[in-house]
């Protein structure tokens, strides 16, 4: 069975500091991974996906199949980055998605 | 926001009563999902649907049932609500051909079971 692990429940960083939100997965097939973000009083929304290899709001994430990781990184944190971040794994033919437990990012001014 | 709504947005009910939550979409997406969000557990899949009348269980399906009689509506029913079902419930939709595999989420329903 697939599993997504986000080891940090809360990550506090100062504004301007680098950010790394960790995500590890277990899945026997070829994974498709995503990061979703939930800002205060907003809907959960897609931040980025590994297949597009894009940078959104300064965030990047690289799929490392050897380490089964998909860590989210940003070189300089901004206050508006404060939110809940979820790593997610898509599996199976019916688009079943497994989410991690989430990491709350708090950027201190 | 994608055309996805949930009703009711808030509900307080008593243990043992039946509760039905509705998810409605105007995007004609094939896949629909129900999740619950709890502190320390993140988002957990309850049930999902891959077409009209086609549904399957997620990881926390006990105590829940679903129905999808038409593309736009996905109903989640708690047959006999328990306090452990107090949570925030999110509906999501996706369609591989139009949105890739991105999921779009509804605003959530906050359910309190007393």
């Amino acid at each position: 069975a697939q599993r997504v692990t986000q080891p940090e429940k809360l990550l506090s960083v100062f504004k301007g500091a680098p950010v790394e939100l960790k995500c590890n997965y277990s899945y026997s097939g070829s994974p498709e991974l995503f990061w979703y973000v939930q800002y205060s009083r907003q809907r959960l929304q897609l931040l980025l996906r590994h297949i597009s290899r894009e940078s959104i709001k300064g965030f990047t994430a690289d799929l490392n199949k050897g380490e089964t990781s998909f860590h989210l990184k940003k070189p300089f944190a901004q206050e508006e980055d404060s939110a809940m971040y979820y790593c997610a794994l898509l599996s199976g033919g019916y688009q079943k998605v497994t989410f991690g437990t989430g990491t709350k990012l708090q950027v201190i001014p | 926001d994608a055309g996805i709504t949930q009703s009711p947005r808030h509900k307080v009910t008593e243990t043992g009563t039946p509760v039905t939550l509705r998810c409605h979409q105007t995007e004609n997406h094939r896949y629909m999902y129900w999740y619950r969000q709890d502190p320390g557990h993140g988002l957990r899949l309850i049930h999902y649907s891959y077409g009209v009348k086609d549904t399957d269980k997620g990881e926390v399906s006990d105590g829940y049932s679903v129905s999808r009689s038409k593309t736009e509506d996905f109903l989640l029913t708690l047959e006999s609500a328990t306090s452990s079902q107090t949570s925030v419930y999110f509906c999501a939709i996706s369609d591989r051909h139009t949105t890739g595999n991105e999921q779009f989420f509804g605003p959530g329903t906050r359910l309190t079971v007393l």
Side-chain angles (χ1 to χ4, degrees):
Chain A
Q2 60 271 18
R3 176 174 289 185
V4 176
T5 302
Q6 294 180 250
E8 305 131 331
K9 289 186 178 180
L10 173 66
L11 182 65
S12 296
V13 301
F14 285 101
K15 179 182 174 181
V19 174
E20 183 178 44
L21 302 173
K22 291 183 166 51
C23 173
N24 288 90
Y25 67 91
S26 64
Y27 180 54
S28 57
S30 182
E32 186 167 352
L33 287 147
F34 306 81
W35 277 99
Y36 283 84
V37 60
Q38 188 175 28
Y39 300 104
S40 179
R41 298 190 189 86
Q42 293 188 27
R43 302 186 186 199
L44 202 69
Q45 59 188 282
L46 179 69
L47 180 62
L48 52 79
R49 64 186 94 188
H50 89 270
I51 57 172
S52 57
R53 300 185 62 82
E54 57 196 342
S55 173
I56 303 293
K57 299 185 179 182
F59 285 97
T60 59
D62 290 317
L63 177 60
N64 186 322
K65 291 186 177 181
E67 296 183 357
T68 60
S69 68
F70 188 56
H71 303 327
L72 183 67
K73 300 177 183 178
K74 185 171 183 176
F76 308 104
Q78 303 297 316
E79 290 180 65
E80 55 265 31
D81 296 330
S82 294
M84 193 74 177
Y85 291 80
Y86 291 96
C87 183
L89 169 70
L90 177 74
S91 62
Y94 294 131
Q95 298 201 317
K96 183 177 176 181
V97 178
T98 301
F99 283 83
T101 51
T103 298
K104 183 175 181 179
L105 176 63
Q106 182 180 64
V107 180
I108 304 165
Chain B
D1 290 332
I4 175 170
T5 57
Q6 293 182 230
S7 59
R9 295 292 313 281
H10 302 271
K11 186 169 182 66
V12 179
T13 191
E14 294 189 348
T15 298
T17 60
V19 176
T20 295
L21 308 182
R22 180 185 184 228
C23 178
H24 179 77
Q25 61 148 326
T26 57
E27 306 295 325
N28 201 35
H29 285 356
R30 178 182 177 188
Y31 300 92
M32 298 186 76
Y33 309 80
W34 277 108
Y35 295 92
R36 58 178 291 174
Q37 183 183 45
D38 303 288
H41 293 278
L43 281 164
R44 292 181 291 174
L45 182 64
I46 305 171
H47 282 278
Y48 62 104
S49 169
Y50 44 93
V52 174
K53 294 189 177 5
D54 292 322
T55 65
D56 203 353
K57 297 179 180 179
E59 60 183 305
V60 290
S61 59
D62 288 348
Y64 302 94
S65 63
V66 290
S67 67
R68 191 169 178 200
S69 59
K70 45 187 179 178
T71 300
E72 56 265 36
D73 289 324
F74 193 32
L75 304 180
L76 177 70
T77 298
L78 290 65
E79 303 290 347
S80 178
T82 67
S83 58
S84 64
Q85 294 175 312
T86 292
S87 185
V88 180
Y89 291 84
F90 287 97
C91 177
I93 61 175
S94 72
D95 193 290
R96 181 182 300 153
H97 300 295
T98 57
T99 68
N101 293 320
E102 177 180 354
Q103 291 201 333
F104 294 93
F105 286 82
T109 294
R110 186 173 295 275
L111 176 67
T112 302
V113 183
L114 301 175

